Amino acid sequence: AVSNFAKAAGMVPTIFNNDGTQTNTAIEDAIHEGYAAISMGCAMDPSQSAVAIGQAEKAGIVVGVYGGTPDMDQRAGTTYNTDDPYALDATLATEQAIEQHNGQPFNALAITSVTSGPATVIEEDAIKAELAKDCPKCTLTAVNVEVPQWQTQIASTVTSQLLQHPDINVLFPDYAGELTYMLAGLAAAHRSDVKSYLAFGGG
């Protein structure tokens, strides 16, 4: 989407694929090669690249960040960011789940990325708070799969959890990027009675 937007604006985009550990290298490359803009992808902490971002901005490069928390963006000194209200997203998703289950208790599984997903703790705290307030008999279990392992581990993790715990009927994937793999896990577990909520990012 970013690439298409850049092309529509008359720019030539370069996609820097990495596992999340080469962000500073990508920014340094953009500085040395005279890029006009940098768009950082989701599920990374921009504050870990604060120095590099600052150098890019001093070089006249516009840096846009998506998916950082307000605190992270403040520490990173970013000018263009989303600063999404993650807690509100998670609260509304939990309310939706409660409403669609007519207030009856459900057993939920959250798919988290505690270390590599900036908003994970914010979202999980909001889910727990809302369940404690409006559905105290609901249960929530979390399994952690870090972003670099989404493609290889989410499907099998979801399948094994659903087979081991057949009473799970709600999934809270923290991020939209998890959905494709989560659906594969549902299919492998032969479960069509599970509803999914949240999935930050518009999935």
Side-chain angles (χ1 to χ4, degrees), residues 10-56:
M11 304 174 81
V12 178
T14 298
I15 298 175
F16 189 96
N17 288 314
N18 71 101
D19 64 3
T21 62
Q22 295 98 19
T23 305
N24 290 337
T25 300
I27 295 171
E28 290 165 7
D29 287 353
I31 294 170
H32 296 311
E33 296 174 22
Y35 279 62
I38 296 170
S39 176
M40 295 175 65
C42 189
M44 59 178 65
D45 180 354
S47 67
Q48 293 180 355
S49 300
V51 173
I53 290 171
Q55 291 171 343

Side-chain angles (χ1 to χ4, degrees), residues 156-177:
S156 59
T157 299
V158 169
T159 300
S160 64
Q161 287 292 318
L162 292 177
L163 292 176
Q164 291 175 39
H165 309 284
D167 57 343
I168 290 174
N169 56 350
V170 167
L171 292 175
F172 285 111
D174 281 346
Y175 304 101

Side-chain angles (χ1 to χ4, degrees), residues 104-124:
Q104 296 301 309
F106 55 78
N107 300 301
L109 176 70
I111 308 167
T112 67
S113 301
V114 175
T115 302
S116 52
T120 299
V121 173
I122 296 172
E123 292 179 337
E124 291 305 306

Side-chain angles (χ1 to χ4, degrees), residues 19-193:
D19 64 3
T21 62
Q22 295 98 19
T23 305
N24 290 337
T25 300
I27 295 171
E28 290 165 7
D29 287 353
I31 294 170
H32 296 311
E33 296 174 22
Y35 279 62
I38 296 170
S39 176
M40 295 175 65
C42 189
M44 59 178 65
D45 180 354
S47 67
Q48 293 180 355
S49 300
V51 173
I53 290 171
Q55 291 171 343
E57 291 178 336
K58 285 179 183 176
I61 299 175
V62 176
V63 181
V65 176
Y66 176 77
T69 66
D71 176 64
M72 290 173 179
D73 286 326
Q74 183 177 14
R75 286 185 282 122
T78 57
T79 304
Y80 302 100
N81 53 57
T82 54
D83 279 355
D84 187 85
Y86 294 101
L88 178 59
D89 287 353
T91 297
L92 293 175
T94 308
E95 289 177 352
Q96 183 183 35
I98 294 169
E99 174 68 22
Q100 289 190 2
H101 287 83
N102 299 313
Q104 296 301 309
F106 55 78
N107 300 301
L109 176 70
I111 308 167
T112 67
S113 301
V114 175
T115 302
S116 52
T120 299
V121 173
I122 296 172
E123 292 179 337
E124 291 305 306
D125 285 350
I127 292 171
K128 291 173 185 175
E130 192 62 24
L131 289 178
K133 180 168 69 81
D134 287 341
C135 190
K137 292 185 178 180
C138 290
T139 67
L140 178 67
T141 302
V143 291
N144 193 64
V145 181
E146 297 297 342
V147 176
Q149 284 77 50
W150 282 1
Q151 186 174 9
T152 57
Q153 294 184 17
I154 285 182
S156 59
T157 299
V158 169
T159 300
S160 64
Q161 287 292 318
L162 292 177
L163 292 176
Q164 291 175 39
H165 309 284
D167 57 343
I168 290 174
N169 56 350
V170 167
L171 292 175
F172 285 111
D174 281 346
Y175 304 101
E178 300 173 344
L179 283 174
T180 301
Y181 315 114
M182 183 196 77
L183 289 171
L186 280 167
H190 303 290
R191 293 288 300 276
S192 60
D193 60 333

